Amino acid sequence: MSPSGPPLFPESNHDLDRTALLEIGCEELPSAPLPALRSSIAARANALRAEYRLGKGAVQVFGTPQRVILMLEELPDEQEAFQETVLGPPARLAGSLPDAPSPQSIGFAKSQGVSVSELRIVESSRGAYLAVDKTAPRKKTEEVLPELFSRTLEGLPLPRTMRWGTDSGPFLRPILWVLAFWGDRSLSLSLAGIASGTLTRNPRSAGFLHHPVRGVSHYADLIRSWGISPVPSERGAEIDRELDLALRLEQDTGRLSPSVRRVEDVPLSMEVLDLVEVFRVVVGHFPESYLTLPAALIQTVLRVHQRFYVLEEENGALSNCFLAISGNPSADLATVRTGYEKVVRARLEDAQYYLSRDRKRSLASFAGDLGGMVFFPGVGTLSDKVRMSREMVSWVLERIPESDVEGTGFDRPSLAASLDRLAQLAKADLATGLVREFPELEGQVGAHYWMMENRESRDRKEEIPDRLLQFEAEAIADHYHPRHAQDRLPSTLHARILSLVDKFLHQAGGLAAGFIPSGSEDPYALRRAALGMMAVLRDSGWPITLEQLLSQAGNLSLPRDVAGDLGKFWGERLQGFWEREYPILLVRAGGASLSETMGFAGSRLRFLSGVSGREGYAELLSLYTRLVNILPDPEKSAGFSLDPSRLEAPSEKAIHALMKEEGIADPGLWAKKAACGEWETIWNSALRFVIPVQKMFEEVMVNDPDPVLRENRMALLSRLCMAIGVLGRLDLLPPPSREG
């Protein structure tokens, strides 16, 4: 893309005579991969432009669902000059040039296509070498562009590809035409088996007719005249303006209340702008009687199934009107509106039918149907997962700090009973007709049903307190979160425990069934489940380690032991989890492991991320690196017995005295300080050992021939190394800069 800012589709002008154009016309391209496709084509074209030495002008990529447009601006008439020096054998093997060249000189000259007389000797950082200066040939730009354009589609990260006809493809969708120009000169090339020509097509709504193109400037005029906004951001802004204008017109004419407003929906807008090439806004209505349905259900029908915009009143209540984007502006408005309204009514009628049928049963009764639904092939049913979930929520609750329990306002026995009830109900809505029809509403349907049936049974003795009922309903709806890296975390204790358990069981079940993710293959989203589980553990700060969860995998009655696979899987995901936030070297130095809590690992990484500018940074890194290098195995050396009476040199004795003063004599003291977040104290204490250890290395030989002295010194230094190691693998941190 142009480095000056967002791409702008050019107006017709003389500068376009030096612009190359490639248009790829397609069947309807799917909206989801289009942004990445445009970005990849821009990156690929930029790299190829540099490779072919065609100047440094802007590379612009535009696109709609029917066409992808690539423009290379400010092209020179021919390739830029390029000269390089090719090094050959060492100069000592050259012989006597040019009269008596050695066989190596002759072979080098032949391989480079030059005579021996053109060889010379150059000095490099590695010494003197034979060399030859080569000048690359310069070709006319119009000779190079077809090859550049042909290579542009190579290696693009396409999620799925298609082939059509004979020797055609692969691409996202069938390519219908290829248009290629440089200024007013047509270029001849072939993309995915389709030969380029001089014809383009107008929008599908205008007939999708062929139109001859005379050059890049003429093409720009045609696109503008057809009302196409090829720049996605411009098209999105136009859609927003038209949506607001249509809403105001409805309000001004009295057909819509002045208090109604459009619900901001960025993900929908990003999708819609790549669904249409030209468009018009349509205002539709559905009967008010459907507003009794759950708001989430109406929104799913409108925005997820139909890509319509939701309207709401000032108080947040949904309106029975919606805004739709039609990709056929020439069609009869009344016909389009009627069609949209008919589809919405049909979907809402289906929803109302399933809702009415489901409400004749309790949510708990649907839990009994889970025995007929597969958890993972060969692993069991969802009823088996419910049984394991009941055991796991009890195990997790036992490890939740008392302060977190008190924050809910309920005692631990009440929470235990509530969580056990939730473990049985959380997946029950998967058996309902409404979720079978609208899978996107899993969790939300269960929450709605649980609230409704409890509000309707206030006369029962087993009535659940309102606040606890609210917690439980939120947990049923929220325990699927976080669904992806940018998703929100569950907010309540109930929901977090349920989310943690659900994601843990999902991974254990998936691995037990043999679905081990590899490369890009992860059909059951086990990686996302792992990252979501880690995010919950980190944010909650609970004293639960992945190692403890790993030990529970053996108690799940799975068809095979998954502890090994699960431990390896988590080890890989753990590093990836932290690398989303911190540089890779810092993550490796932090050395997060399965035996540490996520909160502890995060605390250490936060501290390490700010140490590079500290006084003594270089000295402490050097100290720790020397300790690691001289100790064959710090943990094994720590097992040697330390006899203070055998410490001979003053530096040895000084280190031992300082260790006692700083509390290293107690192996777990610094670990306890780290658990309390006292990283500053540990860092400053570790700095006090820099000079004494330097003096020890100067005064004594650590690897003394006497095994008794050697083991004693190893024991001393290993205790110090392991204590400082609480800060992490400091030897893996980036070295200090020359300036600091």
Side-chain angles (χ1 to χ4, degrees):
M1 293 286 188
S2 170
S4 60
L8 297 174
F9 194 72
E11 300 283 351
S12 175
N13 56 57
H14 294 298
D15 292 339
L16 294 185
D17 293 339
R18 310 201 67 80
T19 296
L21 162 72
L22 174 67
E23 182 191 49
I24 306 170
C26 303
E27 294 286 357
E28 293 286 331
L29 292 165
S31 62
L34 266 183
L37 176 65
R38 290 190 292 262
S39 178
S40 298
I41 289 177
R44 178 84 175 146
N46 259 311
L48 289 171
R49 179 170 185 163
E51 179 183 334
Y52 284 98
R53 311 191 308 279
L54 292 178
K56 301 185 183 300
V59 174
Q60 308 273 44
V61 178
F62 313 98
T64 72
Q66 276 82 50
R67 68 194 79 223
V68 177
I69 306 166
L70 168 63
M71 286 187 169
L72 278 63
E73 301 177 4
E74 302 173 23
L75 289 167
D77 291 327
E78 62 181 8
Q79 290 178 296
E80 296 173 342
F82 178 72
Q83 188 176 52
E84 64 175 338
T85 299
V86 181
L87 297 182
R92 57 186 170 79
L93 302 177
S96 178
L97 296 178
D99 301 326
S102 68
Q104 289 88 342
S105 296
I106 297 172
F108 176 57
K110 184 177 181 181
S111 69
Q112 298 300 316
V114 298
S115 65
V116 173
S117 61
E118 295 179 67
L119 299 181
R120 64 189 183 94
I121 295 177
V122 299
E123 294 289 337
S124 73
S125 58
R126 296 178 295 170
Y129 285 85
L130 275 174
V132 61
D133 295 324
K134 298 190 67 176
T135 301
R138 301 173 68 176
K139 295 182 179 180
K140 296 290 186 183
T141 298
E142 59 187 297
E143 298 176 30
V144 174
L145 281 173
E147 184 178 341
L148 185 154
F149 283 153
S150 296
R151 292 179 59 192
T152 299
L153 295 191
E154 295 176 3
L156 294 177
L158 304 176
R160 287 187 178 87
T161 58
M162 298 178 63
R163 292 186 180 274
W164 60 96
T166 304
D167 298 326
S168 298
F171 199 59
L172 270 177
R173 291 292 185 271
I175 295 177
L176 302 180
W177 76 90
V178 176
L179 178 72
F181 273 91
W182 183 41
D184 58 359
R185 283 163 281 186
S186 174
L187 301 175
S188 178
L189 58 108
S190 176
L191 291 180
I194 306 299
S196 63
T198 59
L199 298 176
T200 185
R201 294 192 186 188
N202 63 358
R204 194 177 298 274
S205 60
F208 217 40
L209 304 175
H210 289 287
H211 283 261
V213 177
R214 298 191 299 272
V216 180
S217 185
H218 180 228
Y219 176 82
D221 284 341
L222 285 175
I223 292 294
R224 295 285 186 187
S225 67
W226 293 334
I228 297 175
S229 295
V231 183
S233 58
E234 287 183 6
R235 193 160 62 253
E238 286 184 16
I239 290 173
D240 274 342
R241 286 195 297 270
E242 291 298 317
L243 286 168
D244 292 337
L245 178 61
L247 182 58
R248 286 198 301 271
L249 287 174
E250 290 292 306
Q251 292 171 331
D252 292 345
T253 55
R255 290 192 293 267
L256 203 57
S257 167
S259 62
V260 170
R261 61 190 180 190
R262 174 165 61 98
V263 177
E264 290 297 325
D265 197 333
V266 175
L268 178 60
S269 295
M270 294 298 293
E271 183 179 8
V272 166
L273 70 86
D274 277 326
L275 286 174
V276 294
E277 184 168 67
V278 290
F279 69 94
R280 77 185 305 174
V281 177
V282 179
V283 182
H285 301 72
F286 58 87
E288 290 188 0
S289 59
Y290 291 120
L291 291 176
T292 57
L293 293 170
L297 177 55
I298 298 175
Q299 290 176 340
T300 298
V301 168
L302 293 176
R303 63 176 304 278
V304 177
H305 289 200
Q306 303 305 134
R307 276 75 173 181
F308 295 164
Y309 286 87
V310 176
L311 302 178
E312 66 179 12
E313 303 285 349
E314 281 182 337
N315 61 3
L318 292 184
S319 167
N320 68 319
C321 300
F322 60 85
L323 298 175
I325 303 296
S326 170
N328 188 359
S330 60
D332 179 67
L333 178 60
T335 302
V336 174
R337 179 189 294 115
T338 300
Y340 286 165
E341 292 176 344
K342 184 177 180 180
V343 171
V344 169
R345 279 200 309 273
R347 296 297 289 159
L348 292 176
E349 185 64 31
D350 289 343
Q352 193 168 61
Y353 165 76
Y354 285 112
L355 179 64
S356 301
R357 194 179 71 170
D358 289 343
R359 293 291 291 115
K360 296 176 181 178
R361 299 172 57 184
S362 67
L363 186 61
S365 70
F366 284 108
D369 297 343
L370 297 178
M373 303 176 70
V374 175
F375 175 28
F376 275 106
V379 174
T381 67
L382 286 181
S383 289
D384 297 316
K385 184 180 182 181
V386 167
R387 174 183 49 77
M388 292 185 281
S389 181
R390 294 179 68 184
E391 297 171 359
M392 282 301 302
V393 295
S394 175
W395 181 87
V396 172
L397 181 60
E398 290 174 0
R399 285 153 182 79
I400 301 298
E402 193 60 36
S403 58
D404 286 16
V405 173
E406 292 173 355
T408 65
F410 298 96
D411 56 28
R412 200 174 285 269
S414 298
L415 285 180
S418 176
L419 284 166
D420 185 66
R421 185 164 53 243
L422 281 174
Q424 300 176 66
L425 297 174
K427 301 297 182 185
D429 67 351
L430 296 179
T432 63
L434 195 56
V435 170
R436 289 175 186 267
E437 184 69 13
F438 300 94
E440 306 89 348
L441 293 174
E442 60 182 4
Q444 297 182 65
V445 169
H448 178 75
Y449 286 179
W450 188 236
M451 289 290 289
M452 291 300 100
E453 70 180 61
N454 278 278
R455 286 176 177 170
E456 294 168 1
S457 59
R458 288 304 183 185
D459 56 334
R460 298 180 184 176
K461 294 181 180 179
E462 63 271 15
E463 178 182 323
I464 301 174
D466 282 343
R467 191 158 176 268
L468 185 59
L469 177 62
Q470 186 66 37
F471 279 156
E472 292 183 0
E474 288 181 11
I476 294 173
D478 284 359
H479 82 278
Y480 289 100
H481 296 282
R483 296 177 184 268
H484 50 80
Q486 289 74 41
D487 197 12
R488 63 179 178 84
L489 293 173
S491 57
T492 66
L493 181 70
H494 286 76
R496 291 192 174 204
I497 293 177
L498 214 58
S499 174
L500 171 65
V501 170
D502 184 57
K503 289 169 175 53
F504 166 66
L505 294 178
H506 183 72
Q507 296 167 76
L511 294 179
F515 298 112
I516 301 176
S518 68
S520 61
E521 295 296 320
D522 188 12
Y524 291 96
L526 300 184
R527 292 191 183 104
R528 277 185 290 177
L531 295 177
M533 178 187 70
M534 293 172 186
V536 171
L537 283 173
R538 180 197 181 187
D539 193 70
S540 64
W542 295 335
I544 298 174
T545 67
L546 295 176
E547 193 172 65
Q548 290 173 325
L549 282 171
L550 202 60
S551 67
Q552 287 301 112
N555 301 326
L556 296 179
S557 302
L558 295 172
R560 71 180 185 89
D561 183 14
V562 296
D565 290 339
L566 204 53
K568 181 181 178 182
F569 179 61
W570 284 350
E572 296 168 352
R573 300 280 72 72
L574 189 60
Q575 181 162 326
F577 176 85
W578 292 116
E579 285 176 7
R580 297 183 306 174
E581 188 173 346
Y582 298 102
I584 184 170
L585 287 180
L586 192 66
V587 172
R588 290 177 180 175
S593 70
L594 305 185
S595 60
E596 297 175 344
T597 66
M598 296 295 294
F600 177 81
S603 171
R604 178 167 56 205
L605 284 168
R606 279 196 304 274
F607 175 76
L608 289 179
S609 66
V611 299
S612 61
R614 288 174 173 268
E615 185 178 353
Y617 174 74
E619 290 79 5
L620 190 55
L621 262 62
S622 176
L623 165 64
Y624 186 79
T625 302
R626 293 186 72 179
L627 290 175
V628 169
N629 289 339
I630 203 168
L631 295 169
D633 185 345
E635 292 189 11
K636 182 179 178 181
S637 301
F640 296 153
S641 60
L642 175 61
D643 185 354
S645 65
R646 291 187 176 276
L647 298 175
E648 298 177 343
S651 57
E652 290 181 283
K653 296 176 181 179
I655 292 173
H656 184 256
L658 189 56
M659 288 171 64
K660 291 175 65 177
E661 182 181 339
E662 293 295 340
I664 299 181
D666 176 3
L669 182 60
W670 278 22
K672 293 175 184 176
K673 289 182 178 180
C676 296
E678 298 180 25
W679 301 108
E680 294 278 354
T681 303
I682 297 172
W683 180 271
N684 293 330
S685 296
L687 283 175
R688 298 186 63 191
F689 288 91
V690 171
I691 295 177
V693 172
Q694 288 176 349
K695 289 182 178 179
M696 178 180 171
F697 285 144
E698 294 170 0
E699 291 181 359
V700 302
M701 181 184 296
V702 177
N703 288 307
D704 195 279
D706 184 343
V708 176
L709 286 177
R710 183 172 63 248
E711 288 190 6
N712 205 47
R713 289 168 182 165
M714 290 283 189
L716 178 71
L717 295 180
S718 63
R719 283 164 172 73
L720 176 60
C721 183
M722 292 186 68
I724 299 176
V726 170
L727 293 168
R729 287 292 306 273
L730 302 184
D731 56 317
L732 299 180
L733 284 175
S737 64
R738 292 181 180 274
E739 291 78 9

